[in-house]
Amino acid sequence: MHKITLLIHCEDQPNIIASVTNFMATNKGNIVYIDQHVDREQNIFFMRLECEFKSDAFSIEKFRNIFKEVLVEKFQLKWKMYAADKRPRMALFVSKYDHCLYDILGRYNSGELFLEIPFILSNHADLKSIADSFNIPFYHIPVTKDTKYEAEREQLKLLESYSIDFVVLARYMQIVSNLLIDKYPNKIINIHHSFLPAFVGAKPYHSAYKRGVKIIGATSHYITEELDAGPIIEQDVTHVSHSHSINDLISKGRDLEKIVLSNAIKLHANRKVMVFNNKTVIFS
C-alpha cells in the first residue's frame, strides 16, 4: 500500500475539487481524507488530500510528473506532494532551558511524533547530557556577536549534511539571521513565551504580572526576518488571577510552551499547515 499527501493552493475557480478527485480515481487511487478552504478576501483556494494506491508498481515520482502535466498548468497550482510514510527530519536548536527539550524528546521516544531527530544543536553545552540520555548526537556551536556569521555557516553545513527538512527552536535564545531563514523558509519553528503580539520582549511574564492580566499564553510560529512576526501555527492560553506570583506565571507559561510547541511540531510534521501571505491554514 502506498499513500501520498497532497497540498495545493491557487486562485479559486470552478472544478478544482472535481478535477483532482477524478484524477485520483483515474489513476486507481482511493481518497481517504480531503479538506478544503477558500479565502474569500484573497480569492485563494486551499486543499489537503490523502490518497492510497494498492498497486506495487506505484511510483510517486512518476505520479508527480503525471499530476504536473494534467492539472498543475491547467489550474496554475502551487503544490507539494509527499510520500506519507516518509518521516521528515527535524533538527532541534536549544540553549539552556530544558523544559521544551524534555517534552519533545519524551514524545519522540514514545513514538508520538512522526519524524526523525538526527541531532540536537546548542550554543551552550549545558544540555548535552539530555541528548546523550536519548542517544541523539549533540553539537555545541558557541555564538557571540563577533562569531555569529561563522557560527551560522557552521550550523547550515550541519543541517545540509544531515538532510534536515525543518528546524525547531526549543527555547534557542539567539536571533536567527536570513542565512538560515532564506534556506528554510516557513521551516523554522519557534516557541514564543507570550500570546503574541501582546507582551513581546525578554520578560513577558513580568510585564503581564505588572498589568494584572487574567490570561497568559504561548505562541508557536515560523520565523521570518521580522522578529516574532512570522505565520502563527498554534496558540494557547491559561487563566491566572491576582493570587498568582511571577513564579506561578512562569510555571504555567512553561507548561503552555511545551503543549503549544509540540502541537505545532505535529501539525508541521504531518503536513497539515499551509502558509500564504504570512498567515496559516491549519487542516484537521
Side-chain angles (χ1 to χ4, degrees):
M1 179 76 72
H2 301 272
K3 186 175 179 180
I4 64 157
T5 300
L6 174 67
L7 300 175
I8 65 174
H9 75 269
C10 62
E11 182 180 344
D12 189 34
Q13 52 200 293
N15 298 322
I16 304 174
I17 297 174
S19 297
V20 173
T21 54
N22 286 336
F23 175 84
M24 295 298 171
T26 300
N27 287 274
K28 300 180 181 180
N30 178 38
I31 296 172
V32 294
Y33 171 95
I34 186 170
D35 197 3
Q36 63 279 328
H37 168 69
V38 176
D39 185 325
R40 296 292 184 186
E41 183 177 339
Q42 301 184 80
N43 196 41
I44 300 297
F45 173 86
F46 300 88
M47 175 190 281
R48 182 180 184 275
L49 179 147
E50 296 177 6
C51 193
E52 294 177 342
F53 301 84
K54 293 183 178 180
S55 172
D56 292 335
F58 177 84
S59 165
I60 190 170
E61 292 305 323
K62 291 181 180 179
F63 190 74
R64 281 193 182 108
N65 291 334
I66 297 171
F67 182 82
K68 183 177 180 180
E69 291 174 5
V70 175
L71 292 177
V72 171
E73 291 188 10
K74 177 181 179 181
F75 291 104
Q76 294 296 296
L77 301 179
K78 304 295 184 184
W79 64 292
K80 293 180 181 178
M81 186 182 293
Y82 304 93
D85 61 347
K86 185 180 184 299
R87 293 175 180 266
R89 296 167 64 81
M90 177 185 82
L92 273 174
F93 281 30
V94 296
S95 288
K96 293 185 176 182
Y97 293 109
D98 61 9
H99 57 289
C100 286
L101 178 62
Y102 268 122
D103 183 72
I104 292 168
L105 294 181
R107 295 174 189 272
Y108 175 66
N109 205 41
S110 67
E112 183 178 332
L113 301 178
F114 184 77
L115 48 81
E116 298 178 9
I117 304 178
F119 70 87
I120 297 169
L121 181 145
S122 181
N123 56 323
H124 299 282
D126 300 55
L127 305 184
K128 183 180 185 302
S129 61
I130 300 176
D132 291 344
S133 67
F134 284 89
N135 297 314
I136 298 176
F138 181 90
Y139 292 90
H140 175 212
I141 301 179
V143 180
T144 67
K145 182 179 179 181
D146 295 330
T147 65
K148 185 175 179 64
Y149 176 77
E150 289 304 320
E152 287 201 337
R153 294 281 297 177
E154 191 174 349
Q155 292 172 359
L156 189 56
K157 289 180 182 178
L158 198 60
L159 292 168
E160 291 173 343
S161 68
Y162 276 94
S163 300
I164 294 300
D165 295 305
F166 73 106
V167 179
V168 169
L169 310 181
R171 295 306 304 274
Y172 178 66
M173 308 304 286
Q174 288 286 327
I175 295 175
V176 177
S177 78
N178 281 359
L179 186 65
L180 294 182
I181 295 172
D182 292 344
K183 183 67 177 179
Y184 291 91
N186 297 322
K187 293 180 180 179
I188 304 178
I189 299 173
N190 188 35
I191 181 64
H192 193 280
H193 48 309
S194 178
F195 192 74
L196 292 176
F199 300 118
V200 298
K203 294 185 177 181
Y205 298 118
H206 293 71
S207 300
Y209 179 77
K210 290 178 181 178
R211 287 287 302 276
V213 300
K214 300 300 181 262
I215 61 170
I216 59 171
T219 302
S220 188
H221 62 93
Y222 295 114
I223 66 168
T224 57
E225 184 177 358
E226 186 177 355
L227 186 64
D228 297 330
I232 292 172
I233 308 168
E234 180 79 350
Q235 292 182 295
D236 201 358
V237 296
T238 188
H239 288 271
V240 296
S241 74
H242 62 275
S243 65
H244 290 101
S245 66
I246 292 176
N247 286 337
D248 291 332
L249 268 61
I250 292 173
S251 178
K252 285 177 171 289
R254 286 180 177 174
D255 285 341
L256 284 176
E257 290 166 28
K258 292 185 290 186
I259 294 169
V260 168
L261 183 56
S262 66
N263 285 342
I265 291 170
K266 289 177 189 176
L267 289 167
H268 182 92
N270 293 327
R271 292 114 184 180
K272 294 186 175 183
V273 184
M274 297 185 70
V275 179
F276 186 81
N277 285 354
N278 209 49
K279 291 175 63 179
T280 56
V281 174
I282 309 292
F283 289 103
S284 60

